[in-house]
Every structure is written in structure tokens, then in C-alpha cells.
Amino acid sequence: MQEHNSSLVIELSYSDLVIDVGVVTLGEDNRKKMQKTQKNEEREKVAQAACALLNSGGGVIRLEMANKDDHPVEPGLDLEASWRELIQSSDLHTFFETKQQGRCFYIFVKSWSREPFPEDSSTKPRICSSSSFLYCRSGTSALLMNSTEAFKFLKTKKRAAERRPVNEGAPPRKILTAVCHNISESDLAFHIFQRDRLEHGEILHLPESHLVEFKQFSTKNIEKYVKETIPKYISAFANGEGGYLFLGVEDKTKKVLGCVKENVNRDSLEKVIATAISKLPIFHFCSSKAHVGYETKIQDVFLEGELYSYFCVIRVKPFCCAVFAEAPISWMVKEKQVCKLTTEEWVEMTMDPDPLTFIFFPELTEDFESQLSLSSGPPLCKPVYSSKGLEHKEDLQQHLFPVPLGHLQYTPESLWKELCSEHEGLEELLSKEMRPFSRGILILSRSWAVDLNLPAKQGVICEALLIAEHSPPILHTILREQDMDGQRYCTNTALTLKQKLVNMGGYTKKVCVKTRVLCLSTKTHVEPLQGSAFPIDYPLSYSFANTLHMDAFLQSLAVVLLGFRSFLSDQLGCEILNLLTLQQYEIFSKNLCKSRELFVHGLPGSGKTIMAVKIMEKIRNMFHCEANRILYICENKPLQDFISKKNICQAVTRKAFMKEDFENIQHIIIDEAQNFRTENGDWYNKAKAITQREKDHPGILWIFLDYFQTSHLDCSGLPLLSAQYPREELTRVVRNADKIAYYLRDKLHEIRRKPPPNIPSMSLEMLPEVEWVRGVQGTLKIKKDLTRDQVVTYVTDTCRGLFERGYSPRDVAVLVSTQSEVEYYEYELLRAMRKKRIVQLSNAYDILGDHIVLDSVRRFSGLERNVVFGIHPKTADPAILPNLLACLASRAKQQLYILWLGDC
Ligand SMILES: *[C@@H]1O[C@H](CO)[C@@H](O)[C@H](O)[C@H]1NC(C)=O
Ligand SMILES: [Zn+2]
């Protein structure tokens, strides 16, 4: 049995994954002289490290040369062959480079990706492996599939499983008929299989073929022999068309010899075979739980009328999916450990993610554009999508990080000015550092760690990432005072940056991030502490060669900085990244210390809730804050539940907020504040008092609101508009399909013309600045004069049509106006849908469950669905109706149906 974790360890003092494999003999001449076992052991150790690095974003293998050659050496043919096996290509240089430094020998490993093989990228697996342990029949032998063949084989099996009706584990018909082609051969084999006795020395008149394999019992330890020999034949037969394995025939002469009865016990032989076969790892793409199908027959062999030996035949049936001789071997770095993938992980990682998920999820193909496709990305990369009509990563990069033509640009300029005025000597210190670089971009941040979702460090003034021609990227950490821990911190940030660039940003070129720690008080570079790691000298290919090279890096960097886990990931069950808009990113990258209080006015569908979540993550990292110190307040329970599940904060409704003290809380984020009321007290001053409890370190209080979506005529308790300062606006509407956006726009204009009395009309002035992001067609249907029965029928029939087209119940919300209507329609819709065998309903409490949401428009505020039915939206006072309609329309991403009842 293979153990799961490798004995190899990741060195922690580098800004890259570095694996030290210990002493290895290098040079072809030296390796030729080695003992076989030691040679294999060394080769496997290095291959294991290489495989883990290829699959985990790349890194460096360090080894100590056993031989003391001081001239540069070639590693050795067997070592290089094992690396070629991993990448399934003879082009080693694309992924591996080597370098000798004294007694140390370094192997630089780039992340695996299929990008260098554009013409046959679809034939390459998504990860590298040392062995698939999948066998197939080739003529008269059982062959181990290399990983390219294994990938092809698995794809075929997967496609076949998808075409078979559900719950039918039987192998595809095609294979069964294939068996019949060789009627004579398999009949002959079957005939022998059926016999009860054979004569010693009898010649079997049956050729070896892809269905027939002859083996002799060639040792005395029969059980051990069987255990070790049969797996590959069973795997090969089961993965193909089935077949017969005859044990006890002399290969060449086909003479029956059997195994002498003194050496073997009939029952135990049968048991050994059963155990060996039951241990073979299998993988099903289909829903069958079946194991390998086979029959064993042990026949008596007579010599001169006396029982002399036993002859054994195993008849293997073709298997629906994949049978391995042993668990496949591939490695990956997980939490700084080199781990072996399980068989299930291996199959999942080898295969491309199921395109069906995407086809059956119309939203991804209709509303989103792929920014990063999986087909050429590194193994750990997630798909990245951005809403249609928004900037592509190329545009984002050109806007955020344009590479200048002939000089070194510091960016963002405003931050650089701010930092220089705050810290005397900073300008001088950095410009001295930058003297050798003439072309590129220096990206400043108060904390690169926070930008990468890591905790900030006290005493760091700022950090600067240098992207310059003829240099690798260099991350500079500038400390106020000398700090023992500065280098370790900078190294860790650089490592995270490198890994995110590859595994999240999809960067496929060779990359390392160097570190440099500077200290402002001594105006010098801080030498790494004694005893800390000797820097690794990377090959030239790790430096930026030209502008294109820098652009590619900066595009991946934009994905890393603007990417966030899409709310869709929860629905899809696989991780999808979306990108922030530039407007959102600008607010997100504000210096929190200088924007402790902020009002964010965001139009419907401009991403307020996404921003609220991102800001809470940032607060956590910047101030080293636990979830119990950050409070999220909103008006309605469904949104509160949705945010609670993210585990980054405590989430309450306004009512609950007014009941308790919240002594632990330091920071408060308020969402949908336009719907707040003063009925339970002055929530604004309470929130303000809490965040200002600590005089020297006031907390963050950010308030997100949208006056257009006000749902009542009472006092909201917000300060006067003129006192809502500082204030930012989100004016890019990214959520709704075009037709819904037009309807929404009309409603917003209506509100602006005739605002309800409790809304400051100045607050609606932002409307002309709205930017409607276009690109998704969508559906808007408005029906009038319906009866309640007709409404029920309309919703039921439309849903059935949607589900037949691949939408799921969790894409749909049915929104009404009052609680009594919720009850009425819950009963009626359930009855109608049950009759037509459609689905279950629930209210918005269970927003992530797999069912249709039925709730009131008000309570559903702040949430969204692909398809929304609004049934007779009404308000007690008509003055507020356009606001309610705007709120309703804004919930719908793709399809909106507004159903009005006739006079009743
Ligand atoms: C994998 O095996 C197939 C069939 O034996 C062979 O054609 C192919 O070249 C092999 N691939 C590699 C990369 O060795
Ligand atoms: Zn199966």
C-alpha cells in the first residue's frame, strides 16, 4: 500500500515552493554505475517533487550532488525520461530548467498548463501524473496507458456513461457486440472455461489474443504470484472488451501444466483471487455502484488418471467505467505538504470540469463572458467570468496598470504623493532602490498582504511591487523600524502573490517573486537575518523580457485583485470567480484608516452587497479582526441569513440591533439603509456610538443605501443628505438584462420626477450618471387583468417551461406584496405544481435551498434571482409604488414577469 503523504517537505523560508530532496547522484556516467534500487529510489523522489510542483503552481527542487563534479552536469537520462513522462512531451525546457550552484543543484519547475501545446491541448490531461495504473489490451499483451492515453480513455468512458440511461450500470452495447465479432475465439475460450477436468500436457487449441492471455504459475509461492500478477490483466480486460486469463498454461507451447496440488489449496486460491480483484480501485462516471464482474473456475488436471494439479481460469466482464491495477500516482502540494491524490481526486483533476454544468446553467453562457478558460490554465485555476458588457481583463490592466513606454512609473500617483508627504525620507529611499530600473511600473499599496486577503502587519509603512524589464517581479516591504519578523512577512506575502497569480490569475509563464525589505529609520535595505535562506538565483527566463511579458503578468494581477468568489459558486457547487468593476474597485481600495465613516449610494444592481462583503473581509485583515467584532445590519431576515452563512461577521436585522448592546463590536456595515425606520429608536446614533467607543481607534462605519428603492413613507433615521459625508456613488448597473434595465430606468425617472415626501430629492440627482451595462437580452413580460387562478396557471406553466430548458427551481422567485398573499399563493401554487409534478416552494429564509422562493418584495430586498415573478405589486400609499416596482425589477437578473390582477 502506498502511504498518502510524501516524506518530502516544503521549505518555508522562500517566496516559492521549494522542495529539498537531499542527496542525488547526477551525471549519466555516475548514474550508470549505481545500484538499481538506489537509482530508482532517487529517480522517484525527484519525480514526486517535480509532479507536486507542476500540479501546484510551480517551484524549485533543490538537491545535493552526491558526486563532487565542479563542472556543470546533465542530470542523467533516466531522470530526464521520468520528467518527460510527467509532462507527456519531449520539450523539457518549457517546464524545467536546471542550474548548479556549488554543491547544490536546482531544478526550476514551471506550473503545468496545456498552453504550450495549442495544437493538441485537448489531448493533454489537466494534471501531471507518474502513473495512471490504467491498463488496456494491445494485441496479446496488457499495456500501461501513459497519461495522454489514460485521459483519452477516461473521456470516452465518461461520454459513454453520459449517454447511457440513468441507473444502468451495464456496459455499452457496442462493446458487447464487439465481443461477438470474435465468436469463434471467445467460444473456444468459453468452452475451455466450462470444462471440469483437463489432462496434464494437453495442448489448448486457442491462440492468445486481445481476449485471451496465458500465464504459467512460475513460482512456488502461488498466492503472492497471483496477487502481484493478475491486477494488470484484470484492469486491461475490464477496461476493454473483457476476456479470459488462463493460469497454468505454458505460454509458448500452450501445454496445460497447472499448479501442482501440493503447492496450492483450491479454496484459498479462489479466495486470493477474489481479494485481489476486490481491492482494485475503480471509478464510476455512471451512477452504478457495481464492482468488476468476473467468474473464477478452478479445474482439476489429471496425470495418468490421478489428480495432479489445478488449472485456473478467470473470465472478466467488460466494465462500464474505469478499473485500475493500483491507485494512480500523482502528487500535489496541500497546506505545505506533498500529498498523494486519491483515485477520485485524480480522476476529477485529470478531467476537464464538466461542460454540462455550464450548459445547464444558462446564466454563465448568456450573462457572462469567460475571462479565463480552463482549457489552457494551470491545474488549480478556477474559471473566471465577468458580466457581459464589463471590462475584460486586458482593459482592466490597461486602466489600472499601464506599462509606460520609456520610464518607471509609480502608481497610483495619489497614494505615492500621500505616502511621501507622510513619511520623510521615503522618496529618497525608494528612488535609490529603483535606480537600476529604467522601464516598468511600481505598484504601491499600504499593504499588499491585505490586497491578497492576508492579515496586515504593524509597522509596515507601505509595500511596492516592481514590474520592470530585465528583472523578475520584486516585492518591497518598507518598515518604519527594524523588525526581526519583516523578512518572514515579506516572504510569505510574495509566496501568496506568486501562487495566486498562477492558481487564480491563470498566469502560465515562468514566474518567481523576489523579496526586498527596506527600513525607513536606517534608510537601508535590511539584510536577511543570519541563518535564513540563501537566495536562489533564478534563470534569466524568470525575468520580464518585454512589454508583452509584463502585460500578461499584470493582467493576471488584475484578476487576482479584482476577482471575488461569485455568489453563483454556492448554487453551482463549484468555484467561479467574478471580477469587480473599476468603480467598485476604486471604493474597495480606499484607505480604511482615512475613510472610517462612509456613505455609499448605489443604484439598484450596482453591487452594494458584494462590496459590503468585500469590505468586511478587508476590515478583518487590516485590523486583525475576528468575525465577532464586525457587525452587519440590514432590515430583512432573508438578507441577514444570506450574509450570516459567509462567516465573516455577525449579522443582525435592525430590530435585533436595537435590542442589544453589542459590547464586542468595533466595526459596523449597514446595508439597504433606505428601508430602515426609527420605530425602535435612533439606530444611526447607536451605530455611531458603538464604532466610536474607542476614542483613539474609532471603528469603521460604512452605510450602503439606495433611496430609489425606499419601501416606506416613514422616517428612515438616516442623517440629512448634507450630513452624509464622505459619500461615494455606485452608478454602474450590472445586474439586470437589457429589457429589465429599460423598465427599471423608466421607474427611476418616474421616482425622480415625483419623489415620495420622505426622500431628499437631491439624493436622486445621481441618476443622469447611471451607466447601464448592456449585453444580455433577457425577458420582460407584463400581463394585466388576470384573475388569481390565471396568475397561478401562468406561473406554473412558465416554470415548467423553464425547468425543461435547464433552469432549476433555485433560479426562480415569486414575489408578492403582503404576508397573507404569501400564504394564499403558497397553497395555490403548491397545489398546481404538485398536480403537474413540478416542485417545492419555500420562503426566502432558505434562500440557498433548491426550490422556488415565495416571499414579499420587501423582505426579498437585497437579494436576487435569475427569474422573478411579481404578482400584483401594491403599496398602502400609491406615492411609494414606483419605488416598490423598481425594487421588484431590480431583483430579476434575466427574466421578469409582472402579473397584475383585474379589478376585484
Ligand atoms: C503515449 O502512448 C501512445 C501509444 O503507445 C504513444 O503514441 C504516445 O506517443 C505516448 N505519449 C507520450 C507522450 O509518450
Ligand atoms: Zn460505471
Side-chain angles (χ1 to χ4, degrees):
M1 284 301 280
Q2 280 273 353
E3 72 239 14
H4 257 142
N5 286 348
S6 156
S7 56
L8 297 175
V9 277
I10 304 288
E11 296 239 352
L12 296 177
S13 42
Y14 292 98
S15 59
D16 205 348
L17 294 179
V18 177
I19 301 179
D20 192 339
V21 295
V23 179
V24 173
T25 304
L26 292 182
E28 183 54 18
D29 291 343
N30 298 325
R31 289 194 67 77
K32 264 194 202 146
K33 294 180 207 138
M34 289 178 79
Q35 266 192 334
K36 198 171 159 204
T37 45
Q38 201 195 349
K39 190 173 172 183
N40 289 349
E41 220 168 77
E42 283 187 5
R43 185 178 58 240
E44 264 161 40
K45 196 163 65 169
V46 178
Q48 202 175 86
C51 181
L53 292 177
L54 282 163
N55 288 339
S56 313
V60 183
I61 303 170
R62 184 177 54 202
L63 40 92
E64 194 186 322
M65 292 165 61
N67 37 314
K68 301 186 171 58
D69 300 356
D70 45 13
H71 53 89
V73 289
E74 290 297 321
L77 295 178
D78 67 316
L79 291 173
E80 289 182 318
S82 72
W83 305 346
R84 283 196 191 94
E85 182 64 35
L86 285 170
I87 59 170
Q88 295 284 294
S89 159
S90 56
D91 186 9
L92 278 183
H93 194 75
T94 310
F95 293 94
F96 299 95
E97 279 185 79
T98 57
K99 198 170 203 177
Q100 188 185 349
Q101 259 175 277
R103 290 283 305 280
C104 276
F105 191 83
Y106 292 95
I107 306 163
F108 299 89
V109 183
K110 184 184 94 67
S111 170
W112 167 245
S113 76
R114 295 181 283 196
E115 189 213 357
F117 313 100
E119 65 290 343
D120 56 5
S121 75
S122 63
T123 67
K124 301 265 180 206
R126 278 194 72 215
I127 55 168
C128 302
S129 310
S130 291
S131 176
S132 70
F133 275 121
L134 281 168
Y135 283 82
C136 61
R137 290 297 288 179
S138 169
T140 58
S141 46
L143 280 192
L144 179 62
M145 300 184 211
N146 61 32
S147 35
T148 305
E149 290 170 301
F151 180 56
K152 190 171 152 207
F153 165 79
L154 290 172
K155 274 206 289 197
T156 312
K157 285 288 186 178
K158 187 174 180 196
R159 239 177 271 138
E162 280 159 5
R163 278 203 298 268
R164 271 200 304 279
V166 188
N167 288 329
E168 203 180 296
R173 196 161 289 279
K174 206 175 115 225
I175 287 181
L176 284 180
T177 49
V179 176
C180 300
H181 281 314
N182 287 308
I183 278 194
S184 55
E185 208 172 89
S186 72
D187 272 4
L188 277 173
F190 185 64
H191 182 70
I192 299 170
F193 177 75
Q194 291 288 63
R195 284 170 61 179
D196 287 327
R197 61 178 282 171
L198 296 152
E199 295 301 323
H200 188 265
E202 177 181 346
I203 291 183
L204 296 179
H205 294 286
L206 177 67
E208 258 197 302
S209 71
H210 72 292
L211 294 175
V212 174
E213 176 83 34
F214 295 134
K215 280 276 143 198
Q216 201 174 335
F217 288 115
S218 51
T219 77
K220 278 204 176 149
N221 190 342
I222 296 306
E223 299 193 353
K224 179 160 176 281
Y225 171 80
V226 167
K227 249 188 267 176
E228 285 169 4
T229 312
I230 67 170
K232 74 176 207 185
Y233 295 104
I234 307 290
S235 165
F237 283 134
N239 287 334
E241 301 168 7
Y244 295 85
L245 175 59
F246 293 90
L247 295 167
V249 197
E250 201 179 54
D251 210 357
K252 295 250 164 53
T253 59
K254 292 178 203 148
K255 245 189 228 164
V256 172
L257 301 175
C259 175
V260 285
K261 63 181 195 290
E262 288 73 24
N263 280 347
V264 65
N265 173 310
R266 218 187 148 105
D267 291 340
S268 82
L269 180 58
E270 205 155 342
K271 227 180 258 159
V272 168
I273 291 171
T275 312
I277 295 180
S278 75
K279 280 194 180 145
L280 299 183
I282 58 168
F283 186 90
H284 278 290
F285 293 106
C286 69
S287 55
S288 158
K289 303 251 185 312
H291 207 272
V292 184
Y294 69 97
E295 290 169 76
T296 312
K297 190 126 188 204
I298 300 194
Q299 297 158 347
D300 298 334
V301 179
F302 285 84
L303 178 61
E304 295 166 354
E306 298 243 347
L307 177 63
Y308 175 76
S309 62
Y310 295 114
F311 180 71
C312 174
V313 192
I314 307 173
R315 180 188 186 212
V316 183
K317 298 192 180 136
F319 190 66
C320 52
C321 299
V323 181
F324 298 79
E326 281 176 40
I329 300 181
S330 177
W331 305 87
M332 197 166 265
V333 179
K334 290 184 192 162
E335 303 184 352
K336 320 236 154 139
Q337 282 227 352
V338 176
C339 300
K340 185 169 180 236
L341 298 183
T342 65
T343 304
E344 288 73 29
E345 287 171 328
W346 182 83
V347 176
E348 264 157 39
M349 297 286 311
T350 296
M351 307 297 287
D352 288 290
D354 203 339
L356 284 183
T357 318
F358 299 94
I359 292 164
F360 278 135
F361 209 82
E363 172 153 2
L364 282 179
T365 41
E366 285 175 19
D367 294 12
F368 287 88
E369 285 178 276
S370 171
Q371 292 295 307
L372 202 65
S373 94
L374 285 178
S375 58
S376 60
L380 291 174
C381 219
K382 317 270 183 320
V384 178
Y385 287 86
S386 67
S387 298
K388 255 192 193 156
L390 289 181
E391 298 93 348
H392 286 210
K393 63 177 183 186
E394 291 81 3
D395 309 326
L396 293 171
Q397 180 251 322
Q398 282 305 330
H399 191 275
L400 293 170
F401 314 121
V403 179
L405 278 178
H407 64 283
L408 183 69
Q409 174 78 41
Y410 288 34
T411 191
E413 272 177 277
S414 54
L415 175 61
W416 174 233
K417 286 207 186 98
E418 227 174 88
L419 288 166
C420 288
S421 67
E422 285 167 14
H423 304 285
E424 200 186 323
L426 178 65
E427 191 168 1
E428 189 194 332
L429 177 67
L430 262 186
S431 63
K432 200 172 88 199
E433 277 293 313
M434 294 306 135
R435 214 161 286 152
F437 307 103
S438 56
R439 186 143 182 258
I441 181 165
L442 184 73
I443 308 171
L444 291 139
S445 167
R446 288 194 182 263
S447 170
W448 266 101
V450 170
D451 296 341
L452 297 168
N453 211 353
L454 295 172
K457 179 176 167 57
Q458 290 273 318
V460 171
I461 290 169
C462 69
E463 289 177 283
L465 178 64
L466 174 71
I467 311 301
E469 213 166 45
H470 310 310
S471 162
I474 307 175
L475 179 66
H476 299 77
T477 293
I478 296 120
L479 298 166
R480 188 170 294 123
E481 306 282 343
Q482 293 271 19
D483 184 335
M484 301 271 286
D485 208 28
Q487 182 62 44
R488 196 196 53 79
Y489 160 84
C490 184
T491 300
N492 185 47
T493 311
L495 173 63
T496 304
L497 175 61
K498 187 217 138 160
Q499 297 207 292
K500 284 200 170 185
L501 277 164
V502 179
N503 298 332
M504 179 176 173
Y507 189 63
T508 51
K509 297 187 163 45
K510 293 180 178 173
V511 62
C512 64
V513 179
K514 285 184 136 184
T515 61
R516 192 125 169 109
V517 180
L518 307 171
C519 178
L520 191 59
S521 63
T522 59
K523 296 207 172 38
T524 53
H525 162 55
V526 182
E527 290 301 331
L529 289 174
Q530 286 263 314
S532 79
F534 186 68
I536 295 174
D537 189 14
Y538 283 83
L540 258 181
S541 52
Y542 282 71
S543 294
F544 294 113
N546 51 37
T547 312
L548 278 180
H549 197 172
M550 290 190 265
D551 280 348
F553 179 95
L554 290 164
Q555 281 162 20
S556 291
L557 186 67
V559 172
V560 170
L561 293 176
L562 273 63
F564 62 94
R565 186 175 191 272
S566 163
F567 292 162
L568 276 178
S569 308
D570 296 327
Q571 292 185 34
L572 277 174
C574 72
E575 188 134 343
I576 304 273
L577 296 177
N578 284 170
L579 299 181
L580 292 177
T581 65
L582 284 170
Q583 195 179 47
Q584 290 166 339
Y585 181 66
E586 215 164 280
I587 296 179
F588 173 69
S589 49
K590 272 180 173 299
N591 178 3
L592 283 182
C593 294
K594 295 198 167 161
S595 311
R596 292 188 180 264
E597 188 170 353
L598 186 71
F599 291 84
V600 183
H601 288 224
L603 288 168
S606 59
K608 294 186 289 296
T609 300
I610 284 163
M611 290 294 292
V613 170
K614 291 282 288 177
I615 285 301
M616 290 192 283
E617 279 175 5
K618 185 165 171 178
I619 292 173
R620 179 187 61 190
N621 289 324
M622 259 189 83
F623 305 115
H624 297 260
C625 223
E626 303 283 330
N628 66 0
R629 296 179 99 63
I630 307 173
L631 185 66
Y632 173 91
I633 315 173
C634 61
E635 183 67 16
N636 295 301
K637 191 104 181 58
L639 184 57
Q640 179 221 326
D641 284 346
F642 178 71
I643 299 293
S644 284
K645 294 213 170 82
K646 308 211 167 291
N647 297 325
I648 46 170
C649 61
Q650 199 179 332
V652 293
T653 61
R654 173 191 52 89
K655 273 211 175 90
F657 173 64
M658 293 314 291
K659 281 196 196 121
E660 279 177 59
D661 279 345
F662 297 98
E663 275 169 20
N664 274 330
I665 296 298
Q666 275 182 319
H667 311 284
I668 297 181
I669 300 294
I670 294 174
D671 203 358
E672 303 275 314
Q674 77 280 356
N675 287 335
F676 281 26
R677 299 170 199 241
T678 47
E679 59 188 12
N680 309 86
D682 184 351
W683 58 266
Y684 174 70
N685 276 314
K686 179 170 179 180
K688 197 152 173 145
I690 289 174
T691 52
Q692 295 189 345
R693 250 185 319 228
E694 283 190 50
K695 281 280 161 292
D696 300 335
H697 300 283
I700 303 296
L701 174 60
W702 277 30
I703 299 176
F704 291 86
L705 70 149
D706 174 17
Y707 278 115
F708 285 99
Q709 292 186 73
T710 306
S711 65
H712 59 73
L713 285 169
D714 301 332
C715 171
S716 67
L718 278 159
L720 287 177
L721 187 64
S722 55
Q724 292 181 20
Y725 185 82
R727 180 161 81 218
E728 288 288 346
E729 290 177 353
L730 287 170
T731 53
R732 271 193 107 177
V733 178
V734 297
R735 182 191 295 144
N736 315 102
D738 296 350
K739 285 184 180 149
I740 302 169
Y742 295 142
Y743 178 82
L744 184 57
R745 187 183 55 189
D746 287 347
K747 291 298 147 200
L748 299 186
H749 282 287
E750 200 177 323
I751 297 165
R752 184 158 171 248
R753 279 197 306 275
K754 260 173 67 183
N758 60 334
I759 297 179
S761 56
M762 285 295 286
S763 72
L764 308 177
E765 293 296 307
M766 66 199 277
L767 194 48
E769 285 155 41
V770 183
E771 194 189 331
W772 303 90
V773 173
R774 303 255 164 87
V776 184
Q777 270 290 307
T779 305
L780 169 69
K781 288 210 172 118
I782 300 177
K783 298 267 170 197
K784 292 194 169 138
D785 284 331
L786 301 176
T787 65
R788 288 180 155 209
D789 284 347
Q790 285 170 324
V791 166
V792 170
T793 311
Y794 187 87
V795 174
T796 310
D797 289 349
T798 312
C799 282
R800 193 170 54 181
L802 289 170
F803 300 155
E804 278 166 8
R805 281 167 45 208
Y807 281 82
S808 102
R810 59 188 163 188
D811 289 325
V812 179
V814 179
L815 302 180
V816 295
S817 301
T818 63
Q819 191 53 35
S820 67
E821 282 170 346
V822 171
E823 280 153 30
Y824 173 83
Y825 283 106
E826 184 166 20
Y827 178 77
E828 292 296 328
L829 280 172
L830 256 181
R831 209 170 59 154
M833 292 201 176
R834 282 219 188 99
K835 219 187 267 172
K836 297 192 176 160
R837 298 161 147 261
I838 308 186
V839 279
Q840 298 178 335
L841 295 171
S842 93
N843 60 23
Y845 276 107
D846 205 359
I847 176 81
L848 296 177
D850 186 15
H851 25 56
I852 295 175
V853 163
L854 174 62
D855 215 319
S856 73
V857 179
R858 277 203 187 93
R859 281 171 38 90
F860 202 63
S861 170
L863 297 166
E864 58 186 31
R865 288 263 159 155
N866 287 328
V867 181
V868 171
F869 294 91
I871 303 180
H872 204 69
K874 62 173 188 280
T875 49
D877 191 318
I880 202 85
L881 184 60
N883 301 66
L884 187 79
L885 290 173
C887 181
L888 167 69
S890 171
R891 303 303 107 219
K893 294 201 272 189
Q894 288 180 6
Q895 303 190 11
L896 174 64
Y897 302 88
I898 302 181
L899 310 175
W900 296 96
L901 298 174
D903 295 331
C904 45

